[in-house]
Amino acid sequence: MAKPWATFGIDLHLEPAGPGLRRGLTEALREAVRTGRLAPGTRLPSSRALAADLGIARNTVADAYADLVAEGWLTGRQGSGTRVAEGVTSASFGQWRNAASATARTLPPPHRRPAAGPAYSLIPGTPDLSSFPRTQWLTAARRALAAAPHDALGYGDPRGRVELRTALAGYLSRARGVRAHPDRIVVCAGLADGLRLLAQALRRRGLGTLAVESYGLDVHRELVEREGLATTPLPFDADGTVTEGLAAEGAVLLTPAHQFPMGLALRSDRRASLVDWARSTGGLILEDDYDGEFRYDRRQPVGALQVLDPERVAYLGTASKSLAPGLRLGWLVLPRPLVEEVTALGGARSASAVEQLTLAEFIASGAYDRHLRSARLRYRRRRDALVAALAERAPEVTVTGIAAGLHAVLRLPPGTEQSVVRAAAWHGLAVHGLSFHRHPDATGDPLDALVIGYGTPPDHAWAGTLDALCAALP
C-alpha cells in the first residue's frame, strides 16, 4: 500500500485510492488541484522523489503525471519540472468530468481562462493600496522589532501591546478629540472584529436589539445579527440620521463624523440628543469613526462624538482606510466597565503583535501624520477631479455630502439607479448603487444614487475610471 505522505521538496499529502495505483494516484493529484490544495504554479516533486516517498514504482508516478499533463491539469517542461497549470479551477474539473462521461478520451482544454472582471472599480471601502507607505512601514518594523523585549512576542495583554495603546491614546486625543487612556483602549483585528466583540458583550448584557442607520454597511449589520442582535433602522431625512425617538433599543451604532454612505456629519443638536438618550436610559452609543482623518473643506475634521460622554460612548477606529485593510488593525476606546467585558471575550488575541509594535512606532515617529497629510492631498485632488468631470460631462448628476472620506454620493434622476449600474458594468466599471446599502426595513422612499469610492483606483487608473463613470451616467 502506498504511503500517504510525500516529504521530498514539498510536503504533499496524497491518498491513492481505487483500483490500480496509477489511477488512484492520478485521482488524488487531480483532487488536490481541484480543491486548491495544490495552487496554480506549484512545482511538484520529481517522479523519482515522489515514488520514493510514496513507496511505489517511479513509472507509476511518471504515468500519472503524463495523464494529468495531457488533461491540462499539470505542465511539464524540460528544466522546470512538473507544475500545476495556471488557470485551472474547480470549474475545469466539472468540464473534465462531463466530457469524460461522454468518452474516456475527451479531455478539457488546458489553461482555460476565467471570465474577465471589471477593468475599473469605484466600490467604496478601500483606500488606494498602491500608495501604502512600504518603505516607511518597513523602517518602523525594523525599529520596533529591534527595540521590542522578547516577551513582546508572547501572548501578552489581551487589551493589546501597551506601546500601541499608548501611541493611540496620544494620537486620538490630539487628532480626533477622543478622551483616551491606554488602559481604556483594546486593540482588535480590524473594525469588524471590534464590532463583533461589542455585539457579544451587548448580548451578554441581555440586549436583543441594536439601532442602526437606514443606510450603512450590510456586512456590519449582518455581523451583529449573526451575534444574535436584531437591527432596527433609524429614520433618515435631509439632515441625515434622526436620533430623536430612540426608546427600547439599549444601544445604537452610528457613523457621526461622516455618515456611511450618505456622507453627512451628524448635526450638533442631534449629537446632544443622542447623548441625552444614553444618559437617561443607560444606553450605549457605538461610534464608528472609520475615516475620520479625512476632511477636506475645513482645517480640522469633525471631532469624535465620544468626547461628549466617554462613559456612554464606545469609540471604534481602524487603520483600514488610513493605511490598508490587510493590516487587520483596529481599536476600541471603551467605557470603563466594558474594558473587562471585551477583553474577557478575546480582545487583542487575534491582532498580530508585530503589526501592533510597527504601528506604534509608525505613529510615534511622526510617519503616520506625514502619510495622512500626503493621503489627504491625493484624495482631495481626486474628489475635485470627480466634481469637475461631472460638472462638465454629466451636469444632471450632483455630488452630495461633505467633502470628506474616500467616497462620494452621486444623486441621480429618479428611477435611473439600476440602469446606470448596468451601464457602468457594460463599460467595465464596478460600482454600487445606494440601494445596495439600504436596510431592508428602512422606511421612506428610496433615493436613486451611486456611492463612488474614489479612493479605490490606483493613480494610473484614475483617468480611465472617470471616463468609464461619465460614459455610464445619464
Side-chain angles (χ1 to χ4, degrees):
M1 178 178 178
K3 296 182 292 184
W5 285 98
T7 58
F8 185 91
I10 64 170
D11 289 340
L12 186 58
H13 180 80
L14 296 170
E15 294 185 353
L21 278 177
R22 173 178 171 177
R23 180 176 176 182
L25 179 59
T26 303
E27 291 286 352
L29 284 166
R30 188 186 294 116
E31 180 71 8
V33 175
R34 184 188 70 81
T35 59
R37 289 180 50 229
L38 289 176
T42 300
R43 182 169 181 170
L44 300 182
S46 68
S47 58
R48 184 188 301 276
L50 184 58
D53 284 344
L54 295 178
I56 60 180
R58 180 184 178 186
N59 286 345
T60 301
V61 177
D63 291 341
Y65 279 1
D67 290 344
L68 294 173
V69 168
E71 294 172 9
W73 294 96
L74 304 180
T75 61
R77 294 179 182 175
Q78 187 69 30
S80 63
T82 303
R83 297 177 182 270
V84 178
E86 299 289 348
V88 173
T89 65
S90 59
S92 303
F93 179 76
Q95 293 160 2
W96 176 88
R97 184 169 53 188
N98 292 337
S101 66
T103 169
R105 302 304 300 171
T106 302
L107 304 173
H111 315 305
R112 185 175 182 87
R113 301 177 69 88
Y120 307 104
S121 175
L122 287 171
I123 300 298
T126 304
D128 177 3
L129 300 178
S130 68
S131 67
F132 182 80
R134 297 175 185 235
T135 301
Q136 295 85 349
W137 187 260
L138 283 171
T139 299
R142 293 189 189 99
R143 290 176 177 171
L145 286 173
H150 296 310
D151 63 5
L153 301 178
Y155 290 107
D157 192 323
R159 292 172 298 179
R161 289 299 309 170
V162 66
E163 297 91 341
L164 178 55
R165 290 187 287 113
T166 301
L168 284 171
Y171 170 77
L172 294 173
S173 176
R174 165 173 55 83
R176 302 296 299 126
V178 175
R179 290 165 61 181
H181 186 277
D183 291 344
R184 306 281 284 274
I185 295 176
V186 176
V187 179
C188 47
L191 193 142
D193 185 52
L195 183 58
R196 176 185 59 81
L197 292 170
L198 286 171
Q200 291 178 2
L202 292 175
R203 284 293 295 144
R204 288 195 173 193
R205 289 184 169 192
L207 268 66
T209 304
L210 177 69
V212 298
E213 295 162 316
S214 290
Y215 292 92
L217 278 175
D218 59 326
V219 292
H220 288 175
R221 182 176 69 247
E222 293 166 359
L223 184 152
V224 299
E225 289 175 350
R226 284 197 300 271
E227 297 299 333
L229 291 173
T231 58
T232 302
L234 296 173
F236 187 88
D237 62 18
D239 294 319
T241 300
V242 179
T243 58
E244 296 82 358
L246 279 167
E249 298 86 359
V252 57
L253 171 64
L254 294 165
T255 50
H258 185 219
Q259 202 281 328
F260 183 88
M262 298 305 294
L264 302 175
L266 191 63
R267 283 184 355 194
S268 59
D269 60 325
R270 293 186 176 182
R271 287 182 167 222
S273 171
L274 188 63
V275 172
D276 287 343
W277 163 82
R279 288 170 176 167
S280 62
T281 64
L284 181 68
I285 303 166
L286 310 185
E287 178 181 11
D288 177 1
D289 194 30
Y290 67 100
D291 66 357
E293 295 91 348
F294 299 110
R295 183 76 187 258
Y296 313 123
D297 57 356
R298 297 181 185 179
R299 179 172 298 179
Q300 294 294 330
V302 176
L305 175 69
Q306 187 260 9
V307 70
L308 298 180
D309 194 335
E311 295 305 321
R312 300 260 61 92
V313 180
Y315 175 92
L316 298 88
T318 177
S320 295
K321 306 299 181 293
S322 58
L323 287 168
L327 294 178
R328 308 307 304 154
L329 285 174
W331 43 86
L332 308 174
V333 184
L334 300 173
R336 191 174 301 278
L338 261 178
V339 175
E340 185 175 345
E341 295 177 49
V342 169
T343 53
L345 292 168
R349 298 297 190 194
S350 55
S352 163
V354 173
E355 302 296 358
Q356 291 184 58
L357 291 167
T358 302
L359 181 56
E361 171 62 26
F362 199 69
I363 294 172
S365 68
Y368 190 55
D369 287 85
R370 291 190 293 273
H371 168 71
L372 287 175
R373 284 194 294 271
S374 175
R376 286 190 198 103
L377 180 60
R378 179 170 56 258
Y379 294 135
R380 178 172 184 169
R381 286 173 175 167
R382 287 195 184 184
R383 192 180 192 280
D384 290 346
L386 171 67
V387 173
L390 293 175
E392 177 184 354
R393 300 160 64 180
E396 297 298 317
V397 175
T398 57
V399 179
T400 63
I402 61 175
L406 305 182
H407 79 277
V409 176
L410 275 54
R411 291 293 297 272
L412 301 172
T416 63
E417 179 184 306
Q418 293 307 312
S419 63
V420 171
V421 172
R422 289 192 295 270
W426 190 87
H427 286 283
L429 173 65
V431 67
H432 279 175
L434 181 60
S435 60
F436 183 87
H437 300 284
R438 180 178 166 91
H439 193 290
D441 298 329
T443 58
D445 295 331
L447 303 173
D448 285 270
L450 298 181
V451 184
I452 299 299
Y454 55 81
T456 304
D459 285 339
H460 71 269
W462 179 233
T465 304
L466 270 183
D467 289 341
L469 173 64
C470 291
L473 291 173

